[in-house]
Amino acid sequence: MHVVIAGGHGQIALLLTEILAAEGHSVTGLIRKPEQAEDIAAIGGRPIVLDLEQADAEHLAGLLASETEGAVDAVVFAAGAGPGSGAARKETVDRAASVLLADAAVAAGVRRFLQISSMGAGKDPDPSRDEVWTAYIEAKTAAEEDLKSRDLDWVIVRPGALTNDPPTGRVLLADPPAGRGEVTRADVAAVLAEILKTPLVTRRVLELRGGDDAVPDAVSAFAS
């Protein structure tokens, strides 16, 4: 496969790149800062500097179609404004950048689209949380709704609370609601890699947390 990851320097994106590259797949990571390129190259990926907040769909579609050295089999939206960012960047990154990538995928003829969303998306934000959290959940929900409206082979994954613990290899992957729980970033990356290798898992919204099922079994249960 040739996979393009938007937000290629994020923690989950780097773990996913490492998994896919070790299996012999080609991975292109879209990054905002040139100084991030070395980290991606060191684990077998190919970095391309592209600020999704400044790019347009035509340029990104052209990149997907030609500049990545061969056909692109899938794109993964792993970008996020990140902690410490305000409500405005939740809109420009967590929603608008996902829409941009989907526009570009459609224009370039790339059908497979994986979106990393968040537990809590798809419903009203928790009123006890602050305005930035509200903006984040609203942005993730809007990005999901946009993707679901498209004629693409999409999969939306909503992880629970993320940890940096070592991978367990065992998860709970379920139709919403899966209930609250933690999941390691490494296990999220493993699930995404398995979904990419299982094309029969398509047009599903899946929630993810730690559990008892081996990752391949958890994913294969949704192949149809």
Side-chain angles (χ1 to χ4, degrees), residues 25-51:
H25 303 292
S26 298
V27 185
T28 298
L30 305 182
I31 54 176
R32 188 165 61 93
K33 300 177 181 179
E35 58 266 30
Q36 297 170 338
E38 186 176 341
D39 293 336
I40 293 174
I43 56 175
R46 177 173 181 260
I48 291 181
V49 178
L50 182 75
D51 187 343

Side-chain angles (χ1 to χ4, degrees), residues 93-182:
V93 180
D94 292 276
R95 185 201 68 81
S98 178
V99 172
L100 175 74
L101 184 63
D103 285 342
V106 170
V110 180
R111 290 199 51 79
R112 189 72 161 153
F113 193 119
L114 270 61
Q115 182 186 82
I116 303 176
S117 187
S118 174
M119 203 81 82
K123 56 187 179 183
D124 292 337
D126 183 345
S128 69
R129 304 292 294 269
D130 63 21
E131 63 177 11
V132 175
W133 175 259
T134 296
Y136 172 71
I137 291 299
E138 288 177 346
K140 287 297 188 188
T141 297
E144 287 189 8
E145 291 305 312
D146 173 80
L147 186 56
K148 289 190 288 185
S149 73
R150 296 175 185 268
D151 181 23
L152 291 169
D153 293 331
W154 53 263
V155 180
I156 296 165
V157 178
R158 298 172 177 167
L162 297 168
T163 77
N164 288 323
D165 294 332
T168 67
R170 295 193 171 272
V171 298
L172 186 148
L173 187 67
D175 293 317
R180 294 180 179 274
E182 295 184 340

